[in-house]
Amino acid sequence: YLNHRGPDDQGLMVVSEDRCVFVHTRLSILDLSLAGHQPMSTPDGRYWITFNGEIYNFRELRQQLIDFGEQFASQSDTEIILKLYAREGADCLAQLRGMFAFAIWDDKRQELFVARDRLGIKPVYYHATDKRFLFASELRALLATRLVPRRLDHIALSEYLAYQSVPAPRTLIEGVRMLTPGSWLKVDAQGRVTERSYWDA
């Protein structure tokens, strides 16, 4: 369902006895080699990332991390986010300049972290229930799972007819939310979802 965006790489990651599954469709821009393949993990397998977008200041961040003793297996900006998050957690977002949406799975803490860029150029849609948390960069990818009920959100429809858009976090599908620009969310080991804003114009 994301092939229309012109991908040239795809990946699948299943960890923690099926507790977390990442399916990634990538249009390779930086590091076209296998080293840039996603989902990508840290060498110890603790952190896994799926990332959509581009980090404009990744070269400066890479040099800073090298100065701190970090080593890199790729030339990609994806690995920069992974290393920064492993060191700083959610605070790494303050250093990222670009357009991005990414998710990081912490296999030790059994937590999922999802973030969206300051202006919301790259979208994140999600559907949360007591039993599962689904997310994607497009609404139709969520619907394709057949795990999301196809019920129209009538308030969102009225907003669309009035404004020709649906403001986040609401979407046209009831039960599906869009992560607001400049925000992150975390799903803990018990399935609790916490959402926070990290930037405001």
Side-chain angles (χ1 to χ4, degrees):
Y1 282 87
L2 299 178
N3 287 342
H4 66 96
R5 281 159 41 178
D8 48 25
D9 190 22
Q10 295 180 328
L12 170 69
M13 176 277 292
V14 181
V15 294
S16 297
E17 299 176 355
D18 296 339
R19 285 209 61 179
C20 179
V21 178
F22 282 170
V23 179
H24 186 87
T25 301
R26 175 179 183 228
L27 179 62
S28 304
I29 304 295
L30 296 173
D31 196 338
L32 310 183
S33 73
L34 288 176
H37 179 75
Q38 294 188 54
M40 181 184 290
S41 74
T42 51
D44 61 4
R46 174 175 176 176
Y47 298 101
W48 287 83
I49 185 172
T50 179
F51 162 59
N52 177 28
E54 186 176 352
I55 304 302
Y56 305 139
N57 63 332
F58 84 97
R59 287 184 180 83
E60 301 94 288
L61 294 173
R62 178 188 173 92
Q63 188 55 56
Q64 290 173 22
L65 288 166
I66 289 173
D67 292 344
F68 286 134
E70 293 285 357
Q71 296 180 342
F72 291 89
S74 77
Q75 297 295 319
S76 71
D77 48 357
T78 307
E79 193 175 10
I80 302 300
I81 301 171
L82 197 55
K83 298 276 189 178
L84 272 176
Y85 185 83
R87 294 178 68 92
E88 302 181 19
D91 291 343
C92 75
L93 294 168
Q95 299 185 56
L96 301 179
R97 302 290 176 263
M99 53 178 184
F100 57 82
F102 66 85
I104 294 179
W105 172 254
D106 182 340
D107 200 45
K108 181 178 180 181
R109 297 176 62 104
Q110 299 283 289
E111 287 184 345
L112 179 69
F113 178 83
V114 184
R116 190 174 180 202
D117 63 74
R118 290 168 176 80
L119 299 180
I121 297 169
K122 294 296 183 181
V124 177
Y125 297 92
Y126 68 92
H127 175 70
T129 69
D130 292 339
K131 295 184 179 180
R132 66 177 62 94
F133 180 89
L134 306 171
F135 71 94
S137 60
E138 291 189 12
L139 189 54
R140 64 179 165 179
L142 283 181
L143 294 175
T145 67
R146 300 177 186 256
L147 297 171
V148 177
R150 291 174 175 257
R151 291 193 299 263
L152 192 62
D153 184 319
H154 294 286
I155 295 175
L157 178 60
S158 67
E159 290 176 338
Y160 179 77
L161 294 173
Y163 308 116
Q164 298 184 356
S165 68
V166 180
R170 196 181 298 280
T171 72
L172 283 170
I173 303 300
E174 185 179 304
V176 175
R177 293 172 55 88
M178 179 183 279
L179 186 61
T180 55
S183 296
W184 59 260
L185 67 78
K186 187 176 287 186
V187 185
D188 68 15
Q190 288 71 45
R192 293 178 298 231
V193 180
T194 304
E195 189 172 332
R196 295 280 186 274
S197 173
Y198 69 89
W199 185 84
D200 191 315

